[in-house]
Structure formats: structure tokens, C-alpha cells
Amino acid sequence: MDTDRTEPTEAQVAAMLRRAQAVAQRALDAGHHPFGAVLVAPDHETVLMEQGNVDGVNHAEAVLAREAAARFTPGQLWGCTLVTTVEPCAMCAGTQYWAHIGRVVYGMEERALLAITGDHAENPTLDLPCRDLFARGQKEIRVIGPVRALAEEIAAQHRAFWQRR
């Protein structure tokens, strides 16, 4: 594995998350759950792909990771960052792992989403932090999150959405 990966600055992390939040808003405007993901190049600024949530099985992060794996080589993806509004669930984290995307940035924890959605049938949240899933693998997937500076903004969007469901 490439150990020369650089880390994004706080400003870059915030900019990436704001871009993912804009994607989540577009997904919401299109009638989908408000989740958004972007794939950012190793420079921590160039957005290579964007994906909003599709449905309960085609989460933004998993769809993006599968598409990225089809478009880019594992070597290209290893230096990239998957940026998502909410911590990746087990399915999405596993898909990222297999796609060979070397870092994830997320705004709000999965547990915080669970506190908002409860036992809602449209979001049967798994209480499995992505760090725990990645720790079981053979690659060092770097994790940045939750990002407290944007977590409340993301949570507010979800509270408004899930209260209407």
C-alpha cells in the first residue's frame, strides 16, 4: 500500500463535506433520502464523481464505490477519498473497502442517524461503526469523522426529512 498519502486540511474536509451535502440536497429534491457522496482525488479538491441516494439498497456511497471501481484502477482509488454526509453503513463501508478507496470522510455518525430515525422501516440502521468494519480488513482505510463543524447541519436536514416520513 502507498504510505505516502497526504491528509486533507480542515478547510479541505469542510469543503468536501459541503459538496456532499449539496448532493444530498439534490437527492432530497429528487424525492430520495437525503444522503450524498462524492469521490475526491488525492489532491483533496478535485471531485471525480458525485452520487445521491437512490433507494434503500442502492445507497449513495455503495453506488459511487461500485462506479468508481469500474472507472478507475485500485491504484488510482487508493489515494482518493469517499466523502459522505453520514457515516457509511456496513454495506457501504464494505463496498468502499473492496473498491480500494483509501479514505472516508463523514459528517454525522451512524448512531446519530439511528437516534433520528429510530426503527423507521425505510432506514433500519445497523449500529456498526465503519472504523470497526475497516479494522477487520487487511488494508488501512483512513477515517475522518464525525466532523463536528457540519454534523448538526446534516442532522437538521435528516430530522426535517424523517419527521415527515
Side-chain angles (χ1 to χ4, degrees):
M1 299 294 156
D2 178 12
T3 57
D4 294 333
R5 293 181 289 165
T6 63
E7 294 301 317
T9 66
E10 280 187 41
Q12 288 171 321
V13 167
M16 290 187 280
L17 269 172
R18 291 208 183 282
R19 181 77 175 257
Q21 183 68 358
V23 174
Q25 184 61 51
R26 288 196 304 271
L28 180 61
D29 293 345
H32 303 288
H33 294 173
F35 298 93
V38 296
L39 181 68
V40 180
D43 68 2
H44 310 301
E45 295 180 6
T46 305
V47 174
L48 301 172
M49 298 175 65
E50 296 182 337
Q51 181 64 54
N53 206 62
V54 178
D55 57 37
V57 176
N58 294 291
H59 297 179
E61 304 88 344
V63 172
L64 184 140
R66 284 191 298 273
E67 289 292 322
R71 291 186 194 180
F72 303 101
T73 69
Q76 290 170 318
L77 290 173
W78 187 244
C80 291
T81 303
L82 188 153
V83 183
T84 181
T85 50
V86 179
E87 180 178 12
C89 72
M91 173 181 68
C92 294
T95 306
Q96 175 184 350
Y97 178 87
W98 289 108
H100 206 63
I101 301 169
R103 180 185 298 100
V104 64
V105 169
Y106 66 87
M108 183 176 83
E109 291 174 296
E110 181 91 356
R111 285 184 178 151
L113 179 64
L114 177 60
I116 293 169
T117 63
D119 64 352
H120 197 290
E122 290 181 33
N123 197 63
T125 304
L126 291 166
D127 187 9
L128 178 61
C130 68
R131 281 181 175 86
D132 293 352
L133 187 139
F134 293 142
R136 301 291 184 133
Q138 297 179 38
K139 306 179 225 181
E140 181 198 352
I141 306 294
R142 295 183 181 170
V143 179
I144 298 172
V147 177
R148 303 283 180 224
L150 282 100
E152 179 51 37
E153 179 182 324
I154 294 165
Q157 182 184 53
H158 279 274
R159 278 193 294 275
F161 174 80
W162 292 103
Q163 287 172 354
R164 294 190 307 266
R165 298 304 275 184

